[in-house]
Amino acid sequence: MPRYSKWQFRNPHSKDIYIEDLHPLVVDILVSRGIDTKSRILKFIYTDLNSIHSPKLLPDMEKAADRFYKAISDNEKIMIYGDYDADGITASAIMSLFLKKIGVKAESYINDRTSEGYGISSDGIQHAISEGIQLIITVDNGITAFEEITRANNAGIDVIITDHHETKEHIPNALAVVNPKRKDSKYPFSEIAGCLVAFKLCDYVNEKYSLGVDMEPL
């Protein structure tokens, strides 16, 4: 005889929380994760930039911001090196849109999944060298690309890593490594997505150097 399961809410009291335009199943999921009152749910769903933690809590943020702004000011050739998954593409879009808003055109590079695989590839670094790139900013990758970053350094290319993946015992020899999972990170929540790490770098550069970009639509 086939076995059947009966679906039930894991948190029956979540049924008492009603929020217009929010499906009860979403409410139940949030309650299951400890966001268990209407006010907390509203704050979580309808948050704003004032409620997120300061970018300065991320390691190497100052170094990354200063080098990023120098590249912007000096009209250097910048490459945004993204990943091919949803997080990496979103992070690449955020960085590209930010630069577009201040009139800076940067090249975006995303690996061919079949031929290059995940992370910074040898082909990607060769492309950067061939194109005369002066600064590579990785988004959602780079934290394990030791050889590739050394190769970029040897070619005179500075690298800023923005990533959120687990680090190894050591980190690559990049100019800056912005990652909430670094052991020396002071950021309160280490599980943020790569696209948020990229956003925080843009947001901090915008704030520190008074660029006047409206960050809300990014």
Side-chain angles (χ1 to χ4, degrees):
M1 294 289 291
R3 298 178 64 184
Y4 298 95
S5 298
K6 183 178 180 180
W7 288 64
Q8 295 179 328
F9 281 108
R10 290 178 294 177
N11 293 278
H13 71 278
S14 66
K15 296 178 182 179
D16 299 327
I17 302 175
Y18 172 75
I19 299 175
E20 189 176 0
D21 298 327
L22 203 60
H23 195 282
L25 184 57
V26 175
V27 174
D28 183 62
I29 291 171
L30 293 173
V31 170
S32 299
R33 297 184 178 187
I35 306 171
D36 53 5
T37 66
K38 184 175 182 177
S39 61
R40 288 178 180 174
I41 291 172
L42 289 172
K43 183 178 179 181
F44 181 83
I45 295 293
Y46 302 108
T47 190
D48 57 32
L49 293 182
N50 293 323
S51 65
I52 62 177
H53 301 297
S54 170
K56 291 186 287 186
L57 296 173
L58 288 164
D60 282 357
M61 180 56 76
E62 290 288 349
K63 288 195 292 184
D66 291 346
R67 182 62 183 90
F68 192 12
Y69 181 70
K70 181 181 183 300
I72 293 169
S73 301
D74 294 349
N75 198 30
E76 295 183 19
K77 296 190 74 172
I78 302 171
M79 175 189 281
I80 302 164
Y81 203 125
D83 186 24
Y84 45 69
D85 67 5
D87 191 16
I89 292 172
T90 304
S92 298
I94 288 170
M95 190 73 68
S96 297
L97 286 171
F98 172 72
L99 289 171
K100 184 177 180 180
K101 283 177 176 286
I102 56 176
V104 175
K105 185 177 180 181
E107 178 166 351
S108 292
Y109 189 94
I110 295 177
N111 284 2
D112 180 281
R113 185 168 187 165
T114 302
S115 63
E116 296 179 82
Y118 169 78
I120 299 177
S121 71
S122 177
D123 287 348
I125 296 300
Q126 183 57 50
H127 180 75
I129 294 171
S130 300
E131 292 297 312
I133 298 297
Q134 296 163 278
L135 175 65
I136 294 174
I137 303 176
T138 78
V139 291
D140 190 37
N141 71 92
I143 198 62
T144 59
F146 294 90
E147 293 182 8
E148 292 78 9
I149 289 172
T150 296
R151 184 182 174 197
N153 291 340
N154 291 339
I157 303 172
D158 287 334
V159 181
I160 295 172
I161 295 174
T162 73
D163 202 350
H164 71 129
H165 292 99
E166 294 289 345
T167 66
K168 295 185 180 295
E169 184 178 353
H170 302 289
I171 58 176
N173 187 30
L175 184 142
V177 180
V178 185
N179 187 330
K181 285 195 170 73
R182 279 181 52 169
K183 293 179 181 179
D184 58 344
S185 176
K186 297 179 181 178
Y187 198 80
F189 184 62
S190 65
E191 301 301 321
I192 58 176
C195 58
L196 183 54
V197 181
F199 176 88
K200 283 180 174 294
L201 174 57
C202 296
D203 187 39
Y204 188 54
V205 170
N206 185 52
E207 174 191 348
K208 182 174 182 178
Y209 294 101
S210 304
L211 299 182
V213 176
D214 182 3
M215 301 297 291
E216 290 282 0
L218 289 183

